[in-house]
């Protein structure tokens, strides 16, 4: 995807988030280190443009939660920074890699309905 296509996709995703949640009151956005962070930052900026309100933003390093952890050394890449409580919140996880499998186990664990977390992937 080129820059314009990424922006259009993020605008569509942002509108979908606003519509499904009837606003952004309980929404937080978390970018998975490292590539998901820049996408999440852009998504948060677009959400602010649409709704005129700031959305809590954080980052997670998922190095220890990968499915392929035994196949390569575990090297935490970045700091996890979640300056807010996610209890009872709608968490939007943003990642730039959806199909390699390394993080699929993490996504499946987080998408269980028990925590009220709705996880969606966009190709």
């Amino acid at each position: 995807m080129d820059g314009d296509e990424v922006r259009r996709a993020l605008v569509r995703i942002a509108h979908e988030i606003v519509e499904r949640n009837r606003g952004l009151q309980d929404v937080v956005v978390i970018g998975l280190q490292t590539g998901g962070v820049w996408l999440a930052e852009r998504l948060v900026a677009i959400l602010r443009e649409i709704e005129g309100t700031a959305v809590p933003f954080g980052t997670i390093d998922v190095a220890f939660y990968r499915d392929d952890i035994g196949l390569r050394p575990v090297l935490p890449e970045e700091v996890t920074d979640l300056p807010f409580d996610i209890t009872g919140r709608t968490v939007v996880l943003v990642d730039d890699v959806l199909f390699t499998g390394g993080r699929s186990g993490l996504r499946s664990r987080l998408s269980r309905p028990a925590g009220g977390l709705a996880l969606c992937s966009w190709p």
Side-chain angles (χ1 to χ4, degrees):
M1 297 175 81
D2 66 24
D4 287 336
E5 292 170 326
V6 170
R7 173 146 177 85
R8 281 193 301 273
L10 287 173
V11 168
R12 285 192 304 270
I13 291 167
H15 280 284
E16 187 73 20
I17 290 168
V18 171
E19 290 170 16
R20 286 183 183 229
N21 293 283
R22 295 182 175 90
L24 298 173
Q25 181 177 346
D26 294 321
V27 173
V28 299
V29 175
I30 299 174
L32 276 63
Q33 296 284 7
T34 57
V37 173
W38 71 270
L39 284 170
E41 289 170 336
R42 283 167 177 74
L43 179 61
V44 166
I46 293 167
L47 288 166
R48 183 185 313 226
E49 290 173 18
I50 294 169
E51 287 292 292
T53 186
V55 178
F57 170 73
T59 62
I60 294 179
D61 183 349
V62 296
F64 293 106
Y65 302 98
R66 294 180 59 94
D67 287 354
D68 58 358
I69 198 166
L71 301 176
R72 64 185 77 190
V74 177
L75 302 170
E77 297 176 19
E78 299 289 338
V79 175
T80 293
D81 180 25
L82 293 174
F84 46 81
D85 186 6
I86 64 170
T87 304
R89 308 294 290 269
T90 298
V91 177
V92 178
L93 289 177
V94 181
D95 193 3
D96 69 332
V97 180
L98 297 175
F99 301 110
T100 62
R103 296 178 179 175
S104 62
L106 171 69
R107 286 189 295 272
S108 67
R109 287 190 294 277
L110 290 174
S111 63
R112 292 183 183 142
L117 177 69
L119 182 67
C120 301
S121 297
W122 288 274

